[in-house]
Amino acid sequence: MNDIDKEVAINYGYTKKLWNRNEMKNIDDIFSYAVACDIFGNDDPEPMSVIECQNIEDWAKWKEAIQAELNSLNKRKVFGSIVLTPEAVKPIRNRWVFVRKRNEKNEIMRYKARLVAQGFSQRPGIDYEETYSPVMDEITFRYLISLAVSENLEMRLMDVVTAYLYGSLDSDIYMKIPEGFKMPEALSTRPKEMYSIKLQRSLYGLKQSGRMWYNRLSDYLISKGYTNNLICPCVCIKKTTSGYVIIVVYVDDLNIIGTNKEIHEVIVLLKEEFEMKDLGRTKYCLGLQIEHMHNGILVHQSNYVEKVLKRFNMDKANPLSTPMVVRSLNIDNDPFRPCEENEDVLGPEVPYLSAIGALMYLTNCTRPDISFAVNLLARFSSSPTKRHWNGIKHIFRYLRGTVDLGLFYSNNSKEDLIGYADAGYLSDPHKARSQTGYVFINGGTAISWRSQKQTLVATSSNHVEVIALHEANRECVWLRSMTQLILTSCGIEKGKIPTLIYEDNSACVTQMKEGYIKSDRTKHIPPRFFSYTQDLIKDNQIEMKYIQSSNNAADLFTKALPTALFRKHVHSIGMRHAHNM
């Protein structure tokens, strides 16, 4: 390939998939999750068809999984009658998807086959109307883990067997006859392609299936006395006289957190309505390894880190102490400057986009320590050079030495929610942009963080700190709403005290406390950046306090730090090594 805009995907040797760098200027969570899924299953590629299954040694297990799926479809009465395809109807195609389900030790637990509709051929307004279905976000899940530790609650994981098949369809949908489906002898006189099946229930792959399943589950739980809220639509809570229980929904995975008696009652309740698998204490969920210890819970992704390093041929690399080098103040010597005219862009054989996606997934889940480095290198996705690829390898070398580093939620800490905000002035001197960084800690460990380049051109360090505080306070308002909702619904009484937010710019703290003062230095800053924060202070929702820069944990998210200071901040946000616990 000679096209410099193209790049091989991480599993190109298996799928032949290419990414277009110009179309991936903003790498989002969906892309990073897709890359993570490829890495999780890339060591032993799954078969792509029934014929491929028949030609491998574990065909007997795949055959059993296919039959189990067909039995489940018949049990749920998903298929209606087989009919001649109506003239005005375009039946939806389908395919089989095969997955080996693994545990936290990467051991195969079971073989799973899914008959999936190819929903991309559905027509909006004809085959479906609404498709949105909420799922649990990582921040809420991390908060609930910290709550479970502080309140000494149980955590159980339940899996709904063929969850999507419980949903009812909101429109008439016809599907082509699937591979392996036996046709009645009475219909064998005509070609199989002339027939289709009318679906009676939702099927995996349909655009509206996720929404139909969520509505079905939500309606059932509400009818049994559970409550949820638009702030946390995937968190269903029930308070009883003896305790409470929280059900956290992520598609067909249900994390149940609560007191012992109530958990056993809800398990019985769910099994009465749905076919469920009780996976016991939550140890592995959404790629997160959750280790229960006598003094708390450690959440890490060491298995995923090992897979990433191996996939990018960095599993034998020498470890480094920080994720990036301290940058030069001379912008001409900055290794993270944009591609120059006389510089070559990386060839299509270098999977730069896949590396960024893999690291972003790690950053969003359990590794805030690499947030700034990943955010910085993601800016060059459209035209990466060897310098930028060296930056990626530097992060990999840091991960090599910190494979088992994760977030430790201790049961000894009773700290309420506190926040740290900071800004890096001209962190991107080439485009005159600065960096916003903040982290919110609950019970001594981080639950929410962000490292992001500002969209405005700031004119001073005070200006960038005001913008960073504004963004941190927006996050704080949502965090307070989410935590208060959960605590109130569970009957846990905690006074509505203001959330402490620490900032290392004394002038900025004074401005927020005393009000907007118009001067030559501040008159160009939009008043909304001051007014919003001041209103929160007046409403007793937040309290601003000054802190020295060396003690500001948000410093971790705005700049490259020396080793000693970097390790200090990593420890201050609750990150610990599994082998030291």
Side-chain angles (χ1 to χ4, degrees):
M1 294 185 301
N2 297 318
D3 191 347
I4 61 172
D5 295 332
K6 296 291 179 64
E7 175 185 305
V8 295
I10 188 64
N11 56 349
Y12 175 78
Y14 182 57
T15 64
K16 305 302 180 186
K17 185 187 294 184
L18 295 171
W19 302 118
N20 189 317
R21 287 171 177 165
N22 288 331
E23 294 176 358
M24 300 295 294
K25 292 181 180 179
N26 295 316
I27 299 177
D28 56 16
D29 294 345
I30 296 174
F31 175 76
S32 63
Y33 181 72
V35 172
C37 289
D38 289 340
I39 290 173
F40 271 122
N42 199 60
D43 289 344
D44 187 11
E46 314 290 9
M48 301 293 289
S49 66
V50 174
I51 295 175
E52 194 173 329
C53 283
Q54 293 172 341
N55 295 326
I56 54 181
E57 59 182 12
D58 48 3
W59 161 237
K61 294 180 179 179
W62 287 123
K63 183 179 180 180
E64 184 181 336
I66 291 171
Q67 190 57 50
E69 173 72 356
L70 291 174
N71 293 341
S72 180
L73 293 169
N74 291 326
K75 182 180 178 180
R76 307 276 180 258
K77 298 180 180 178
V78 175
F79 297 141
S81 56
I82 299 176
V83 297
L84 284 169
T85 306
E87 291 185 7
V89 171
K90 183 180 180 182
I92 295 170
R93 290 172 291 178
N94 57 77
R95 57 168 293 195
W96 283 96
V97 175
F98 303 98
V99 178
R100 298 178 181 93
K101 300 292 283 186
R102 302 173 185 268
N103 61 10
E104 70 276 10
K105 297 179 182 178
N106 204 35
E107 299 168 340
I108 297 175
M109 300 297 293
R110 63 191 176 97
Y111 288 74
K112 188 174 181 179
R114 277 277 180 266
L115 181 63
V116 177
Q118 295 183 322
F120 57 80
S121 60
Q122 287 182 265
R123 296 161 294 176
I126 299 174
D127 298 320
Y128 66 91
E129 294 292 340
E130 300 293 335
T131 62
Y132 172 72
S133 177
V135 292
M136 169 190 66
D137 62 273
E138 301 99 334
I139 299 173
T140 302
F141 189 46
R142 286 190 290 262
Y143 170 73
L144 289 171
I145 291 174
S146 71
L147 179 67
V149 172
S150 63
E151 299 294 327
N152 195 27
L153 304 175
E154 292 284 327
M155 288 185 69
R156 295 284 287 274
L157 183 62
M158 303 283 289
D159 178 63
V160 185
V161 178
T162 57
Y164 278 15
L165 308 188
Y166 287 99
S168 300
L169 289 172
D170 54 359
S171 59
D172 292 336
I173 294 181
Y174 292 84
M175 186 179 74
K176 290 185 175 181
I177 308 298
E179 186 180 6
F181 195 86
K182 292 183 179 180
M183 292 285 291
E185 292 185 7
L187 303 178
S188 60
T189 57
R190 297 187 181 185
K192 185 179 178 180
E193 291 73 19
M194 295 182 65
Y195 294 95
S196 59
I197 301 177
K198 185 177 181 181
L199 298 180
Q200 297 184 139
R201 289 188 175 276
S202 61
L203 188 68
Y204 285 87
L206 294 177
K207 296 276 190 182
Q208 67 268 50
S209 288
R211 183 181 181 85
M212 297 298 103
W213 156 241
Y214 172 79
N215 290 342
R216 174 79 170 81
L217 177 64
S218 179
D219 291 344
Y220 177 70
L221 292 176
I222 290 173
S223 70
K224 298 299 180 181
Y226 285 80
T227 60
N228 65 359
N229 190 284
L230 291 176
I231 297 174
C232 306
C234 291
V235 179
C236 300
I237 304 172
K238 185 177 182 179
K239 175 76 173 69
T240 66
T241 54
S242 58
Y244 52 88
V245 64
I246 304 168
I247 301 177
V248 191
V249 182
Y250 191 92
V251 193
D252 57 354
D253 288 329
L254 306 183
N255 268 284
I256 304 174
I257 303 170
T259 46
N260 193 273
K261 178 186 174 184
E262 279 64 32
I263 285 182
H264 286 291
E265 288 177 354
V266 75
I267 289 175
V268 173
L269 181 76
L270 289 168
K271 286 184 175 180
E272 288 176 355
E273 186 71 10
F274 309 106
E275 186 179 348
M276 308 284 294
K277 286 187 178 180
D278 188 351
L279 304 178
R281 176 181 274 187
T282 305
K283 294 182 179 178
Y284 187 70
C285 180
L286 308 178
L288 308 183
Q289 294 168 250
I290 302 171
E291 293 191 28
H292 299 260
M293 304 175 180
H294 69 280
N295 59 341
I297 291 178
L298 179 69
V299 185
H300 63 99
Q301 292 174 283
S302 57
N303 284 347
Y304 176 70
V305 173
E306 292 279 10
K307 281 180 170 287
V308 169
L309 293 173
K310 185 176 180 181
R311 193 66 190 87
F312 288 93
N313 299 314
M314 296 294 290
D315 51 319
K316 303 282 194 306
N318 294 323
L320 294 174
S321 57
T322 60
M324 67 182 299
V325 297
V326 177
R327 300 169 68 184
S328 171
L329 295 176
N330 185 345
I331 62 174
D332 294 328
N333 296 330
D334 181 13
F336 304 106
R337 61 188 183 275
C339 179
E340 298 172 341
E341 290 185 6
N342 59 346
E343 208 169 6
D344 293 332
V345 175
L346 291 176
E349 74 282 357
V350 183
Y352 190 88
L353 287 172
S354 295
I356 291 293
L359 292 170
M360 277 189 65
Y361 176 72
L362 194 58
T363 297
N364 293 337
C365 293
T366 60
R367 297 298 297 265
D369 52 327
I370 62 172
S371 291
F372 176 70
V374 175
N375 179 268
L376 178 62
L377 290 165
R379 301 171 191 171
F380 310 107
S381 298
S382 59
S383 55
T385 68
K386 187 176 180 179
R387 288 182 288 102
H388 306 131
W389 183 243
N390 287 337
I392 293 287
K393 292 197 289 185
H394 192 113
I395 298 176
F396 285 147
R397 290 191 176 96
Y398 168 70
L399 292 176
R400 177 67 271 168
T402 58
V403 170
D404 63 346
L405 189 64
L407 297 166
F408 180 65
Y409 297 91
S410 172
N411 54 19
N412 296 323
S413 177
K414 300 298 180 183
E415 290 182 2
D416 290 321
L417 183 71
I418 58 173
Y420 295 87
D422 191 29
Y425 183 51
L426 292 183
S427 70
D428 182 3
H430 311 281
K431 294 187 178 179
R433 295 293 196 276
S434 303
Q435 192 83 2
T436 288
Y438 62 74
V439 59
F440 285 89
I441 296 172
N442 190 74
T445 307
I447 61 170
S448 174
W449 56 83
R450 173 169 288 185
S451 178
Q452 186 178 41
K453 186 169 76 169
Q454 294 180 358
T455 57
L456 302 176
V457 176
T459 57
S460 66
S461 58
N462 178 249
H463 191 175
V464 299
E465 298 286 356
V466 170
I467 296 172
L469 263 178
H470 179 76
E471 292 300 314
N473 290 330
R474 289 175 58 225
E475 180 73 1
C476 182
V477 169
W478 175 76
L479 285 172
R480 284 177 59 86
S481 300
M482 180 264 289
T483 56
Q484 286 292 335
L485 170 69
I486 293 173
L487 293 174
T488 304
S489 301
C490 293
I492 301 174
E493 294 297 331
K494 287 192 177 181
K496 291 185 178 181
I497 59 174
T499 300
L500 276 175
I501 296 184
Y502 292 98
E503 165 63 48
D504 59 13
N505 186 294
S506 58
C508 185
V509 173
T510 303
Q511 288 169 337
M512 294 305 168
K513 286 183 177 180
E514 297 182 359
Y516 174 67
I517 301 173
K518 181 180 177 181
S519 68
D520 287 340
R521 294 185 179 183
T522 61
K523 63 185 179 182
H524 61 287
I525 305 176
R528 63 186 174 90
F529 288 120
F530 296 93
S531 303
Y532 183 68
T533 300
Q534 288 160 7
D535 286 346
L536 294 178
I537 294 174
K538 290 177 183 177
D539 293 342
N540 210 32
Q541 294 192 52
I542 66 169
E543 180 182 348
M544 299 288 305
K545 279 194 174 183
Y546 170 76
I547 191 173
Q548 289 183 345
S549 182
S550 60
N551 296 322
N552 188 354
D555 226 23
L556 191 66
F557 302 88
T558 59
K559 57 184 73 70
L561 299 173
T563 302
L565 188 57
F566 175 80
R567 287 178 174 172
K568 175 184 176 180
H569 288 323
V570 167
H571 190 273
S572 71
I573 63 174
M575 300 194 75
R576 303 289 186 273
H577 287 276
H579 67 267
N580 291 335
M581 305 305 297

